[in-house]
Amino acid sequence: MDLDSSSWMAALGGSGITRNEALSTLHQMLLKVAVREAYRRGPMFRIGGPELNDLAHQSADDAMVAILGKLDTFRGESRFTTWAYRFVALEVSSKLGR
């Protein structure tokens, strides 16, 4: 496992301020990816504006819950951030497909 991924795992598995800061940073990263994915894919589904923003926030929130629930399954075969981004991309896809 690379050093960056190890740092993420330690922070998210910890407690207190360090964990809270890691959670906040992770959510911000997920939201950025969700917004980008929603605006990239949204027009194909004729969705735009505030609805896409809402979809991106929901996707980031749902991905965060899924990631925290599956932290123990992270094997370090990719970077932690790559693994986490996949969750949010799948959330955006599933919400657009509804």
Side-chain angles (χ1 to χ4, degrees):
M1 185 179 307
D2 66 280
L3 185 58
D4 188 51
S5 297
S6 295
S7 296
W8 274 108
M9 295 302 289
L12 292 170
S15 62
I17 292 172
T18 302
R19 183 171 194 266
N20 289 340
E21 287 174 353
L23 291 171
S24 178
T25 301
L26 179 59
H27 190 267
Q28 289 171 9
M29 289 170 38
L30 294 175
L31 183 57
K32 188 184 290 188
V33 172
V35 167
R36 191 174 332 133
E37 282 296 305
Y39 277 86
R40 184 176 72 85
R41 296 178 184 196
M44 291 184 283
F45 295 91
R46 297 184 181 158
I47 299 172
E51 192 174 20
L52 271 181
N53 249 356
D54 186 44
L55 184 138
H57 278 82
Q58 288 176 18
S59 297
D61 293 346
D62 291 347
M64 186 80 158
V65 170
I67 289 165
L68 294 176
K70 295 185 179 267
L71 269 180
D72 61 339
T73 67
F74 178 68
R75 297 185 306 246
E77 294 173 0
S78 63
R79 294 186 70 172
F80 176 79
T81 51
T82 302
W83 183 76
Y85 290 171
R86 187 73 181 140
F87 280 85
V88 78
L90 290 172
E91 285 293 334
V92 169
S93 292
S94 72
K95 286 179 180 14
L96 284 172
R98 288 184 188 164

Coordinates of all heavy atoms in Angstrom, one line a residue:
M1 N 0.9 -1.2 0.0 CA 0.0 0.0 0.0 C 0.9 1.2 0.0 O 1.9 1.3 0.8 CB -0.9 0.0 1.2 CG -1.9 1.1 1.3 SD -3.0 1.1 2.7 CE -3.7 -0.6 2.7
D2 N 0.6 2.2 -0.8 CA 1.4 3.4 -0.9 C 1.2 4.3 0.3 O 0.3 4.1 1.1 CB 1.0 4.2 -2.2 CG -0.4 4.8 -2.2 OD1 -1.3 4.0 -2.5 OD2 -0.5 6.0 -1.9
L3 N 2.1 5.2 0.5 CA 2.1 6.0 1.7 C 0.9 6.9 1.9 O 0.3 7.0 3.0 CB 3.4 6.9 1.7 CG 3.6 7.7 3.0 CD1 3.7 6.8 4.2 CD2 4.9 8.6 2.8
D4 N 0.4 7.4 0.8 CA -0.8 8.3 0.8 C -2.0 7.4 1.3 O -2.8 7.9 2.1 CB -1.1 8.9 -0.6 CG -2.2 9.9 -0.5 OD1 -2.2 10.8 0.3 OD2 -3.1 9.8 -1.4
S5 N -2.2 6.3 0.7 CA -3.3 5.4 1.1 C -3.2 5.0 2.5 O -4.2 4.9 3.2 CB -3.3 4.1 0.2 OG -3.5 4.5 -1.2
S6 N -2.0 4.7 3.0 CA -1.8 4.3 4.4 C -2.2 5.4 5.3 O -2.8 5.2 6.4 CB -0.3 3.9 4.7 OG 0.0 2.8 4.0
S7 N -1.9 6.7 4.9 CA -2.2 7.8 5.7 C -3.8 8.0 5.8 O -4.3 8.3 6.8 CB -1.6 9.1 5.1 OG -0.2 9.1 5.1
W8 N -4.4 7.8 4.6 CA -5.9 7.9 4.6 C -6.5 6.8 5.6 O -7.4 7.1 6.3 CB -6.4 7.6 3.2 CG -6.5 8.9 2.4 CD1 -5.7 9.2 1.3 CD2 -7.4 9.9 2.5 NE1 -6.1 10.4 0.8 CE2 -7.1 10.9 1.5 CE3 -8.5 10.2 3.4 CZ2 -7.8 12.1 1.4 CZ3 -9.2 11.4 3.2 CH2 -8.9 12.3 2.2
M9 N -6.0 5.6 5.5 CA -6.6 4.5 6.3 C -6.3 4.8 7.8 O -7.2 4.5 8.6 CB -5.9 3.2 5.9 CG -6.3 2.8 4.4 SD -8.1 2.6 4.2 CE -8.4 1.1 5.1
A10 N -5.2 5.3 8.1 CA -4.9 5.6 9.5 C -5.8 6.7 10.0 O -6.3 6.6 11.1 CB -3.4 6.0 9.7
A11 N -5.9 7.7 9.2 CA -6.8 8.9 9.7 C -8.2 8.5 9.8 O -8.9 8.8 10.7 CB -6.6 10.0 8.7
L12 N -8.7 7.8 8.8 CA -10.2 7.4 8.8 C -10.4 6.3 9.9 O -11.6 6.2 10.4 CB -10.6 6.9 7.4 CG -10.6 8.0 6.4 CD1 -10.9 7.3 5.0 CD2 -11.7 9.0 6.7
G13 N -9.4 5.5 10.2 CA -9.6 4.5 11.2 C -9.3 5.0 12.6 O -9.6 4.3 13.6
G14 N -8.9 6.2 12.7 CA -8.6 6.8 14.0 C -9.8 7.4 14.7 O -10.9 7.0 14.4
S15 N -9.5 8.4 15.5 CA -10.6 9.1 16.2 C -10.2 10.6 16.3 O -9.1 11.0 16.0 CB -10.9 8.5 17.5 OG -9.7 8.6 18.3
G16 N -11.2 11.3 16.8 CA -10.9 12.7 17.2 C -10.8 13.7 16.0 O -11.3 13.4 14.9
I17 N -10.0 14.7 16.2 CA -9.8 15.7 15.2 C -9.2 15.2 13.9 O -9.7 15.6 12.8 CB -8.9 16.9 15.7 CG1 -9.7 17.6 16.9 CG2 -8.5 17.9 14.7 CD1 -8.8 18.6 17.6
T18 N -8.3 14.3 14.0 CA -7.6 13.7 12.8 C -8.7 13.1 11.9 O -8.7 13.3 10.7 CB -6.5 12.8 13.2 OG1 -5.6 13.4 14.0 CG2 -5.8 12.2 12.0
R19 N -9.5 12.2 12.5 CA -10.5 11.5 11.8 C -11.5 12.5 11.2 O -11.9 12.4 10.0 CB -11.3 10.5 12.6 CG -12.3 9.7 11.8 CD -12.9 8.6 12.6 NE -13.6 7.6 11.8 CZ -14.9 7.7 11.6 NH1 -15.6 8.6 12.2 NH2 -15.5 6.8 10.8
N20 N -12.0 13.5 12.0 CA -12.9 14.5 11.5 C -12.4 15.3 10.3 O -13.1 15.6 9.4 CB -13.4 15.4 12.6 CG -14.2 14.7 13.6 OD1 -14.8 13.7 13.4 ND2 -14.3 15.3 14.8
E21 N -11.1 15.6 10.4 CA -10.5 16.4 9.3 C -10.4 15.5 8.0 O -10.7 15.9 6.9 CB -9.1 16.9 9.6 CG -9.1 18.0 10.6 CD -7.8 18.4 11.1 OE1 -6.8 17.7 10.8 OE2 -7.7 19.5 11.8
A22 N -10.1 14.2 8.2 CA -10.0 13.3 7.1 C -11.4 13.1 6.4 O -11.5 13.1 5.2 CB -9.4 11.9 7.5
L23 N -12.4 13.0 7.3 CA -13.8 12.8 6.8 C -14.2 14.1 6.0 O -14.8 13.9 4.9 CB -14.8 12.6 7.9 CG -14.7 11.3 8.6 CD1 -15.5 11.3 9.9 CD2 -15.1 10.1 7.7
S24 N -13.9 15.2 6.5 CA -14.2 16.5 5.8 C -13.5 16.6 4.5 O -14.1 16.9 3.4 CB -13.9 17.7 6.7 OG -14.2 18.9 6.0
T25 N -12.2 16.3 4.4 CA -11.4 16.3 3.2 C -11.9 15.3 2.2 O -12.1 15.6 1.0 CB -9.9 16.1 3.5 OG1 -9.5 17.1 4.5 CG2 -9.1 16.1 2.3
L26 N -12.2 14.1 2.7 CA -12.7 13.1 1.8 C -14.1 13.5 1.2 O -14.3 13.4 0.0 CB -12.9 11.7 2.5 CG -13.4 10.6 1.7 CD1 -12.5 10.3 0.5 CD2 -13.5 9.3 2.6
H27 N -15.0 14.0 2.0 CA -16.3 14.4 1.4 C -16.1 15.5 0.4 O -16.8 15.5 -0.6 CB -17.2 14.8 2.6 CG -18.6 15.0 2.1 ND1 -19.1 16.2 1.7 CD2 -19.6 14.1 1.9 CE1 -20.3 16.1 1.3 NE2 -20.7 14.8 1.4
Q28 N -15.2 16.5 0.7 CA -15.0 17.6 -0.3 C -14.5 17.0 -1.6 O -14.9 17.4 -2.7 CB -14.0 18.6 0.2 CG -14.5 19.4 1.4 CD -13.4 20.3 2.0 OE1 -12.3 20.3 1.5 NE2 -13.8 20.9 3.1
M29 N -13.6 16.0 -1.5 CA -13.0 15.4 -2.8 C -14.1 14.6 -3.5 O -14.2 14.7 -4.7 CB -11.9 14.5 -2.4 CG -10.6 15.2 -2.0 SD -9.3 14.1 -1.2 CE -9.4 12.7 -2.2
L30 N -14.9 13.9 -2.8 CA -16.0 13.2 -3.4 C -17.0 14.1 -4.0 O -17.5 13.8 -5.1 CB -16.7 12.3 -2.3 CG -15.9 11.1 -1.7 CD1 -16.7 10.5 -0.6 CD2 -15.5 10.2 -2.8
L31 N -17.3 15.2 -3.4 CA -18.3 16.1 -4.0 C -17.7 16.8 -5.2 O -18.5 16.9 -6.2 CB -18.6 17.2 -2.9 CG -19.6 18.3 -3.4 CD1 -21.0 17.6 -3.7 CD2 -19.9 19.3 -2.2
K32 N -16.5 17.1 -5.3 CA -15.9 17.6 -6.5 C -16.0 16.6 -7.7 O -16.3 17.0 -8.8 CB -14.4 17.9 -6.2 CG -13.7 18.7 -7.4 CD -12.2 18.9 -7.1 CE -12.0 19.9 -6.0 NZ -10.6 20.3 -5.9
V33 N -15.7 15.4 -7.4 CA -15.8 14.3 -8.4 C -17.3 14.1 -8.8 O -17.6 14.0 -10.0 CB -15.2 13.0 -7.9 CG1 -15.5 11.9 -8.9 CG2 -13.7 13.1 -7.7
A34 N -18.2 14.1 -7.9 CA -19.6 14.0 -8.1 C -20.1 15.1 -9.0 O -20.9 14.8 -10.0 CB -20.4 13.9 -6.8
V35 N -19.7 16.3 -8.7 CA -20.2 17.5 -9.5 C -19.7 17.3 -11.0 O -20.4 17.5 -11.9 CB -19.7 18.8 -8.9 CG1 -19.9 19.9 -9.9 CG2 -20.5 19.1 -7.6
R36 N -18.4 17.0 -11.1 CA -17.8 16.8 -12.4 C -18.5 15.7 -13.2 O -18.9 15.9 -14.4 CB -16.3 16.5 -12.3 CG -15.6 16.6 -13.6 CD -14.1 16.4 -13.4 NE -13.6 16.8 -12.2 CZ -12.7 16.1 -11.4 NH1 -12.3 14.9 -11.8 NH2 -12.3 16.6 -10.2
E37 N -18.8 14.6 -12.6 CA -19.4 13.5 -13.2 C -20.9 13.8 -13.6 O -21.4 13.5 -14.6 CB -19.4 12.2 -12.3 CG -18.1 11.5 -12.3 CD -17.7 10.9 -13.7 OE1 -18.5 10.1 -14.3 OE2 -16.7 11.3 -14.2
A38 N -21.6 14.4 -12.6 CA -23.0 14.8 -12.9 C -23.1 15.7 -14.1 O -24.0 15.6 -14.9 CB -23.6 15.4 -11.6
Y39 N -22.3 16.8 -14.1 CA -22.3 17.7 -15.2 C -21.8 17.1 -16.5 O -22.3 17.6 -17.6 CB -21.6 19.0 -14.8 CG -22.5 19.9 -14.0 CD1 -22.5 19.8 -12.6 CD2 -23.3 20.9 -14.6 CE1 -23.4 20.6 -11.9 CE2 -24.1 21.7 -13.8 CZ -24.2 21.5 -12.5 OH -25.0 22.3 -11.7
R40 N -21.0 16.2 -16.5 CA -20.5 15.5 -17.7 C -21.6 14.6 -18.2 O -21.8 14.6 -19.4 CB -19.2 14.7 -17.4 CG -18.6 14.0 -18.6 CD -17.3 13.3 -18.2 NE -17.5 12.1 -17.5 CZ -17.8 10.9 -18.0 NH1 -17.9 10.8 -19.3 NH2 -17.9 9.9 -17.3
R41 N -22.3 13.9 -17.4 CA -23.3 12.9 -17.8 C -24.7 13.4 -17.9 O -25.5 12.8 -18.5 CB -23.2 11.7 -16.9 CG -21.9 10.9 -16.9 CD -21.9 9.8 -16.0 NE -20.7 9.1 -15.9 CZ -20.5 7.9 -15.4 NH1 -21.5 7.3 -14.9 NH2 -19.3 7.4 -15.4
G42 N -25.0 14.4 -17.1 CA -26.4 14.9 -16.9 C -27.1 15.2 -18.2 O -28.2 14.8 -18.4
P43 N -26.4 16.0 -19.1 CA -27.1 16.3 -20.4 C -27.6 15.1 -21.2 O -28.7 15.2 -21.9 CB -26.1 17.1 -21.2 CG -25.2 17.7 -20.1 CD -25.1 16.6 -19.0
M44 N -27.0 14.0 -21.1 CA -27.4 12.8 -21.8 C -28.8 12.3 -21.3 O -29.5 11.6 -22.0 CB -26.4 11.6 -21.7 CG -25.1 11.9 -22.4 SD -24.0 10.5 -22.3 CE -23.3 10.7 -20.6
F45 N -29.0 12.7 -20.0 CA -30.3 12.3 -19.4 C -31.3 13.4 -19.3 O -32.3 13.3 -18.6 CB -30.0 11.7 -18.0 CG -29.2 10.4 -18.0 CD1 -27.8 10.4 -18.0 CD2 -29.9 9.2 -18.2 CE1 -27.1 9.2 -18.1 CE2 -29.1 8.0 -18.2 CZ -27.8 8.0 -18.2
R46 N -30.9 14.5 -19.9 CA -31.8 15.7 -19.9 C -32.0 16.3 -18.5 O -33.1 16.6 -18.2 CB -33.1 15.5 -20.7 CG -32.8 15.2 -22.1 CD -34.0 15.0 -22.9 NE -33.6 14.7 -24.3 CZ -34.4 14.1 -25.1 NH1 -35.6 13.8 -24.8 NH2 -34.0 13.9 -26.4
I47 N -31.0 16.2 -17.7 CA -31.0 16.8 -16.4 C -30.0 17.9 -16.3 O -28.9 17.8 -16.8 CB -30.7 15.7 -15.3 CG1 -31.6 14.5 -15.4 CG2 -30.7 16.3 -13.9 CD1 -31.3 13.3 -14.6
G48 N -30.4 19.0 -15.7 CA -29.5 20.1 -15.5 C -29.8 21.0 -14.3 O -30.7 20.7 -13.6
G49 N -29.0 22.0 -14.2 CA -29.2 23.0 -13.1 C -29.2 22.5 -11.7 O -28.4 21.6 -11.4
P50 N -30.1 23.0 -10.9 CA -30.1 22.7 -9.5 C -30.3 21.2 -9.2 O -29.9 20.6 -8.3 CB -31.3 23.4 -8.9 CG -31.6 24.5 -9.9 CD -31.1 24.0 -11.2
E51 N -31.0 20.5 -10.2 CA -31.3 19.1 -10.0 C -29.9 18.3 -10.1 O -29.7 17.3 -9.3 CB -32.2 18.6 -11.1 CG -32.7 17.2 -10.9 CD -33.8 16.8 -11.9 OE1 -33.9 17.4 -13.0 OE2 -34.5 15.9 -11.6
L52 N -29.0 18.7 -11.0 CA -27.7 18.1 -11.0 C -26.9 18.4 -9.8 O -26.2 17.5 -9.3 CB -26.9 18.6 -12.3 CG -27.1 17.8 -13.5 CD1 -26.3 18.4 -14.6 CD2 -26.9 16.4 -13.4
N53 N -27.0 19.6 -9.3 CA -26.3 19.9 -8.0 C -26.8 19.0 -6.9 O -26.0 18.5 -6.1 CB -26.5 21.3 -7.6 CG -25.2 22.1 -7.8 OD1 -24.2 21.6 -8.1 ND2 -25.3 23.4 -7.6
D54 N -28.1 18.8 -6.8 CA -28.7 18.0 -5.7 C -28.2 16.5 -5.9 O -27.8 15.9 -5.0 CB -30.2 18.1 -5.8 CG -30.9 17.4 -4.6 OD1 -30.4 17.5 -3.5 OD2 -31.9 16.7 -4.9
L55 N -28.2 16.1 -7.1 CA -27.8 14.7 -7.4 C -26.3 14.5 -7.0 O -26.0 13.5 -6.5 CB -28.0 14.5 -8.9 CG -27.7 13.1 -9.4 CD1 -28.7 12.6 -10.4 CD2 -26.3 13.0 -10.0
A56 N -25.5 15.5 -7.3 CA -24.0 15.4 -7.0 C -23.9 15.3 -5.4 O -23.1 14.5 -4.9 CB -23.3 16.6 -7.5
H57 N -24.6 16.2 -4.7 CA -24.5 16.1 -3.2 C -25.0 14.8 -2.7 O -24.4 14.2 -1.8 CB -25.3 17.3 -2.6 CG -24.5 18.6 -2.6 ND1 -24.5 19.4 -3.7 CD2 -23.8 19.2 -1.6 CE1 -23.7 20.4 -3.4 NE2 -23.3 20.3 -2.2
Q58 N -26.1 14.3 -3.2 CA -26.6 13.0 -2.7 C -25.6 11.9 -3.0 O -25.4 11.0 -2.2 CB -27.9 12.7 -3.4 CG -29.1 13.5 -3.0 CD -30.4 13.2 -3.8 OE1 -30.4 12.1 -4.4 NE2 -31.3 14.1 -3.7
S59 N -25.0 11.9 -4.2 CA -24.0 10.9 -4.6 C -22.8 11.0 -3.7 O -22.3 9.9 -3.3 CB -23.6 11.1 -6.1 OG -24.7 11.0 -6.9
A60 N -22.3 12.1 -3.4 CA -21.1 12.3 -2.5 C -21.5 11.7 -1.1 O -20.7 11.0 -0.5 CB -20.7 13.7 -2.5
D61 N -22.7 12.1 -0.6 CA -23.1 11.6 0.7 C -23.2 10.1 0.7 O -22.7 9.4 1.6 CB -24.4 12.2 1.1 CG -24.3 13.7 1.4 OD1 -23.2 14.3 1.5 OD2 -25.4 14.4 1.4
D62 N -23.9 9.5 -0.3 CA -24.1 8.1 -0.3 C -22.7 7.3 -0.5 O -22.5 6.3 0.1 CB -25.0 7.7 -1.4 CG -26.5 8.2 -1.2 OD1 -26.8 8.5 0.0 OD2 -27.3 8.1 -2.1
A63 N -21.9 7.9 -1.3 CA -20.5 7.3 -1.5 C -19.7 7.3 -0.2 O -19.1 6.3 0.1 CB -19.8 8.0 -2.6
M64 N -19.9 8.4 0.5 CA -19.2 8.5 1.8 C -19.6 7.4 2.8 O -18.8 6.7 3.4 CB -19.4 9.9 2.4 CG -18.7 10.1 3.7 SD -17.0 10.6 3.2 CE -16.6 11.5 4.7
V65 N -20.9 7.2 2.8 CA -21.4 6.1 3.7 C -20.9 4.7 3.3 O -20.5 3.9 4.1 CB -23.0 6.2 3.7 CG1 -23.6 5.0 4.4 CG2 -23.5 7.5 4.4
A66 N -21.0 4.5 1.9 CA -20.5 3.2 1.4 C -19.0 3.0 1.7 O -18.6 1.9 2.1 CB -20.8 3.2 -0.1
I67 N -18.2 4.0 1.5 CA -16.8 3.9 1.7 C -16.5 3.6 3.1 O -15.7 2.7 3.4 CB -16.1 5.2 1.3 CG1 -16.1 5.3 -0.3 CG2 -14.6 5.2 1.8 CD1 -15.7 6.7 -0.8
L68 N -17.1 4.3 4.1 CA -16.9 4.1 5.5 C -17.3 2.7 5.9 O -16.7 2.0 6.7 CB -17.6 5.1 6.3 CG -17.0 6.5 6.1 CD1 -17.8 7.6 6.9 CD2 -15.5 6.6 6.5
G69 N -18.4 2.2 5.2 CA -18.8 0.8 5.5 C -17.9 -0.3 5.0 O -18.0 -1.4 5.4
K70 N -17.1 0.1 4.0 CA -16.3 -0.9 3.3 C -14.8 -0.7 3.5 O -14.0 -1.2 2.8 CB -16.6 -1.0 1.9 CG -18.0 -1.5 1.6 CD -18.2 -1.6 0.1 CE -19.6 -2.2 -0.2 NZ -19.7 -3.6 -0.3
L71 N -14.4 0.2 4.4 CA -13.0 0.5 4.7 C -12.2 -0.7 4.9 O -11.0 -0.8 4.4 CB -12.8 1.4 5.9 CG -12.8 2.9 5.6 CD1 -12.6 3.7 6.9 CD2 -11.8 3.4 4.6
D72 N -12.7 -1.7 5.6 CA -12.0 -2.9 5.9 C -11.7 -3.8 4.6 O -11.0 -4.7 4.7 CB -12.6 -3.7 7.0 CG -14.0 -4.2 6.7 OD1 -14.7 -3.6 5.8 OD2 -14.5 -5.1 7.3
T73 N -12.4 -3.5 3.5 CA -12.2 -4.3 2.3 C -11.1 -3.6 1.4 O -10.8 -4.2 0.4 CB -13.5 -4.4 1.5 OG1 -13.9 -3.1 1.0 CG2 -14.6 -5.0 2.4
F74 N -10.7 -2.5 1.7 CA -9.6 -1.8 0.9 C -8.3 -2.6 1.0 O -7.8 -2.8 2.1 CB -9.4 -0.4 1.3 CG -8.3 0.3 0.5 CD1 -8.5 0.6 -0.8 CD2 -7.1 0.7 1.1 CE1 -7.5 1.2 -1.5 CE2 -6.1 1.3 0.4 CZ -6.3 1.6 -0.9
R75 N -7.9 -3.1 -0.1 CA -6.7 -4.0 -0.2 C -5.4 -3.2 -0.6 O -4.3 -3.8 -0.5 CB -6.9 -5.1 -1.1 CG -8.0 -6.0 -0.7 CD -8.2 -7.2 -1.6 NE -8.3 -6.9 -3.0 CZ -9.4 -7.1 -3.7 NH1 -10.4 -7.6 -3.2 NH2 -9.4 -6.7 -5.0
G76 N -5.5 -2.0 -1.0 CA -4.3 -1.2 -1.4 C -3.8 -1.6 -2.7 O -2.7 -1.2 -3.0
E77 N -4.6 -2.2 -3.6 CA -4.1 -2.6 -4.9 C -4.2 -1.3 -5.8 O -3.6 -1.3 -6.9 CB -5.0 -3.7 -5.5 CG -4.8 -5.0 -4.8 CD -5.8 -6.0 -5.2 OE1 -6.6 -5.8 -6.1 OE2 -5.7 -7.1 -4.6
S78 N -4.9 -0.3 -5.4 CA -4.9 1.0 -6.1 C -4.7 2.0 -5.0 O -4.7 1.7 -3.8 CB -6.2 1.2 -6.9 OG -7.3 1.3 -6.0
R79 N -4.6 3.3 -5.4 CA -4.5 4.4 -4.4 C -5.9 4.5 -3.7 O -6.9 4.2 -4.3 CB -4.2 5.7 -5.1 CG -2.8 5.7 -5.6 CD -2.4 7.0 -6.1 NE -2.3 7.9 -5.0 CZ -1.8 9.1 -5.0 NH1 -1.4 9.6 -6.1 NH2 -1.7 9.8 -3.9
F80 N -5.9 4.9 -2.5 CA -7.2 5.0 -1.8 C -8.1 5.9 -2.5 O -9.3 5.7 -2.6 CB -6.9 5.5 -0.3 CG -8.2 5.7 0.4 CD1 -8.9 4.7 1.0 CD2 -8.7 7.0 0.6 CE1 -10.1 4.9 1.6 CE2 -9.9 7.2 1.2 CZ -10.6 6.2 1.7
T81 N -7.6 7.1 -2.9 CA -8.4 8.0 -3.6 C -9.1 7.5 -4.9 O -10.2 7.8 -5.2 CB -7.7 9.4 -3.9 OG1 -6.5 9.0 -4.6 CG2 -7.4 10.1 -2.6
T82 N -8.3 6.7 -5.6 CA -8.9 6.1 -6.8 C -10.0 5.1 -6.5 O -11.1 5.1 -7.1 CB -7.8 5.3 -7.6 OG1 -6.7 6.2 -7.9 CG2 -8.3 4.6 -8.8
W83 N -9.8 4.4 -5.4 CA -10.8 3.4 -4.9 C -12.1 4.2 -4.5 O -13.2 3.9 -4.8 CB -10.2 2.6 -3.7 CG -11.1 1.6 -3.1 CD1 -11.4 0.4 -3.6 CD2 -11.7 1.7 -1.8 NE1 -12.2 -0.3 -2.7 CE2 -12.4 0.5 -1.6 CE3 -11.8 2.7 -0.9 CZ2 -13.1 0.2 -0.5 CZ3 -12.5 2.4 0.3 CH2 -13.1 1.2 0.5
A84 N -11.9 5.3 -3.8 CA -13.0 6.1 -3.3 C -13.7 6.8 -4.4 O -15.0 6.9 -4.4 CB -12.5 7.2 -2.3
Y85 N -13.0 7.3 -5.4 CA -13.6 8.0 -6.6 C -14.6 7.0 -7.3 O -15.6 7.4 -7.8 CB -12.6 8.5 -7.5 CG -11.8 9.7 -7.0 CD1 -10.7 10.1 -7.7 CD2 -12.1 10.3 -5.8 CE1 -9.9 11.2 -7.3 CE2 -11.3 11.4 -5.4 CZ -10.2 11.8 -6.1 OH -9.5 12.9 -5.7
R86 N -14.2 5.8 -7.3 CA -15.0 4.8 -8.0 C -16.4 4.7 -7.4 O -17.4 4.6 -8.1 CB -14.3 3.4 -8.0 CG -15.0 2.4 -8.8 CD -14.8 2.7 -10.3 NE -15.5 1.6 -11.0 CZ -16.2 1.9 -12.1 NH1 -16.2 3.1 -12.6 NH2 -16.8 0.9 -12.8
F87 N -16.5 4.8 -6.1 CA -17.7 4.8 -5.3 C -18.6 5.9 -5.8 O -19.8 5.7 -6.0 CB -17.5 4.8 -3.8 CG -17.1 3.5 -3.2 CD1 -15.8 3.1 -3.1 CD2 -18.1 2.7 -2.6 CE1 -15.5 1.9 -2.5 CE2 -17.7 1.5 -2.0 CZ -16.4 1.1 -2.0
V88 N -18.1 7.1 -5.8 CA -18.9 8.3 -6.2 C -19.3 8.2 -7.7 O -20.4 8.6 -8.0 CB -18.2 9.6 -5.8 CG1 -17.1 10.0 -6.7 CG2 -19.2 10.7 -5.6
A89 N -18.4 7.8 -8.5 CA -18.8 7.7 -9.9 C -19.9 6.7 -10.1 O -20.9 6.9 -10.9 CB -17.6 7.2 -10.8
L90 N -19.9 5.6 -9.4 CA -21.0 4.6 -9.5 C -22.3 5.2 -8.9 O -23.4 4.9 -9.4 CB -20.6 3.3 -8.7 CG -19.5 2.5 -9.4 CD1 -19.1 1.3 -8.5 CD2 -20.0 1.9 -10.8
E91 N -22.2 6.0 -7.8 CA -23.4 6.6 -7.3 C -24.0 7.6 -8.3 O -25.3 7.6 -8.4 CB -23.1 7.3 -6.0 CG -22.8 6.4 -4.8 CD -24.1 5.7 -4.3 OE1 -25.2 6.2 -4.6 OE2 -23.9 4.6 -3.8
V92 N -23.2 8.4 -8.9 CA -23.8 9.3 -9.9 C -24.4 8.5 -11.0 O -25.6 8.9 -11.4 CB -22.6 10.2 -10.5 CG1 -23.2 11.0 -11.7 CG2 -22.1 11.2 -9.4
S93 N -23.8 7.5 -11.5 CA -24.4 6.7 -12.6 C -25.7 6.1 -12.2 O -26.6 6.1 -12.9 CB -23.4 5.6 -13.0 OG -22.3 6.1 -13.6
S94 N -25.7 5.5 -11.0 CA -27.0 4.9 -10.5 C -28.1 5.9 -10.4 O -29.3 5.6 -10.7 CB -26.8 4.1 -9.2 OG -26.6 4.9 -8.1
K95 N -27.8 7.1 -9.9 CA -28.8 8.1 -9.7 C -29.3 8.7 -11.1 O -30.5 9.0 -11.2 CB -28.3 9.2 -8.8 CG -28.3 8.8 -7.4 CD -27.8 9.8 -6.5 CE -27.7 9.4 -5.0 NZ -27.8 8.1 -4.7
L96 N -28.4 8.8 -12.0 CA -28.8 9.3 -13.4 C -29.7 8.2 -14.1 O -30.5 8.6 -14.9 CB -27.6 9.7 -14.2 CG -26.9 11.0 -13.8 CD1 -25.6 11.1 -14.6 CD2 -27.9 12.1 -14.1
G97 N -29.4 7.0 -13.8 CA -30.1 5.9 -14.5 C -31.5 5.6 -14.0 O -32.2 4.9 -14.6
R98 N -31.9 6.3 -12.9 CA -33.2 6.0 -12.3 C -34.3 6.6 -13.2 O -34.3 7.6 -13.7 CB -33.3 6.6 -10.9 CG -32.5 5.9 -9.9 CD -32.7 6.4 -8.6 NE -31.8 5.8 -7.6 CZ -31.5 6.3 -6.5 NH1 -32.1 7.4 -6.0 NH2 -30.6 5.7 -5.7

